[in-house]
Amino acid sequence: MSNLAYGYWEVSIEKSGRVKLPTALLRALPEDERKAFYVTHGFGEHIMLWSEKAYQEQMEYLNSLDRNLVLVKRYRNAFLRNTAFLECDAQDRIVIPKPLMEQYSIQKEIVLLLDNGKIEIWNCQKYHEMFDMSPKDLEALNEQIHLGHYNEEKEAADGVS
C-alpha cells in the first residue's frame, strides 16, 4: 500500500455506465480492499463508495445506535436505501446503480475523492461549484478553522448553546 490515503481524480463515465477506477486510487488502498466496494448515499451532495473495511466500520457505528428511536431509524433507512455491493471487473470498472446516478445528477464526468478508504463520487460540475475557491477564500477558511470557528458551527448544528 502506498502512503497516499487521499487523492483526487476526474473520471469519465463510459456509455455503458461503467466507471474505471484510477490505478493510483486503487494502489492507495490496501491490496485486499481494491476489488469490492459498497456504494451508498453520501452525507452531502455526493455518493459514497466504501472499501469493505470502511463500510464495516460505518455499519458498526450504525449498529451501535438505538433502533427504537425514530430519528435513528430514519437515518439508518435513508443511509441504507439503494446501498449495493459492487465488485470491480477485470479492467477495474464498477457500475453505480442507476437510482443513485439519477438522484445525484451523475452523468458523464465525475470527481472521485479518496479519504482513507472512503471515496466520494461527485457530479464534476457540482463539485467545482461547491469547492472551487480563490486563494484568498481558502486563506480565510483556513484561518476560521485554525481559530476554532468550526467548533462553534458544530455546536450550533448540534443545538448546543
Side-chain angles (χ1 to χ4, degrees), residues 77-109:
N77 288 355
F79 176 76
L80 295 171
R81 192 175 118 250
N82 298 323
T83 295
F85 178 74
L86 306 177
E87 291 184 282
C88 291
D89 66 12
Q91 286 80 40
D92 297 324
R93 297 176 300 194
I94 59 169
V95 178
I96 301 168
K98 193 170 189 165
L100 289 172
M101 298 270 289
E102 290 172 355
Q103 185 171 5
Y104 292 93
S105 303
I106 303 295
Q107 295 168 2
K108 295 180 182 181
E109 300 292 323

Side-chain angles (χ1 to χ4, degrees), residues 12 25 112 144:
S12 296
L25 182 153
L112 299 174
Q144 284 182 309

Side-chain angles (χ1 to χ4, degrees), residues 57-99:
E57 290 170 1
Q58 179 66 15
M59 289 309 299
E60 285 175 22
Y61 171 71
L62 281 178
N63 291 335
S64 74
L65 301 174
D66 184 351
R67 294 179 191 181
N68 294 314
L69 298 173
V70 174
L71 186 66
V72 170
K73 182 76 171 156
R74 189 167 184 227
Y75 174 69
R76 286 179 60 88
N77 288 355
F79 176 76
L80 295 171
R81 192 175 118 250
N82 298 323
T83 295
F85 178 74
L86 306 177
E87 291 184 282
C88 291
D89 66 12
Q91 286 80 40
D92 297 324
R93 297 176 300 194
I94 59 169
V95 178
I96 301 168
K98 193 170 189 165

Side-chain angles (χ1 to χ4, degrees), residues 32-38 50-52 85-88:
D32 62 344
E33 295 184 37
R34 296 178 184 171
K35 293 293 182 182
F37 299 91
Y38 287 87
W50 308 75
S51 69
E52 285 194 78
F85 178 74
L86 306 177
E87 291 184 282
C88 291

Side-chain angles (χ1 to χ4, degrees), residues 89-150:
D89 66 12
Q91 286 80 40
D92 297 324
R93 297 176 300 194
I94 59 169
V95 178
I96 301 168
K98 193 170 189 165
L100 289 172
M101 298 270 289
E102 290 172 355
Q103 185 171 5
Y104 292 93
S105 303
I106 303 295
Q107 295 168 2
K108 295 180 182 181
E109 300 292 323
I110 59 173
V111 167
L112 299 174
L113 193 65
L114 171 66
D115 183 0
N116 290 310
K118 299 167 192 78
I119 303 162
E120 296 178 6
I121 303 173
W122 287 84
N123 167 302
C124 194
Q125 181 180 346
K126 193 174 287 189
Y127 179 87
H128 290 294
E129 287 171 3
M130 289 187 72
F131 298 108
D132 281 355
M133 58 181 69
S134 70
K136 189 171 184 99
D137 290 340
L138 186 57
E139 179 183 346
L141 182 59
N142 180 61
E143 186 174 325
Q144 284 182 309
I145 297 294
H146 284 278
L147 291 174
H149 292 290
Y150 69 93

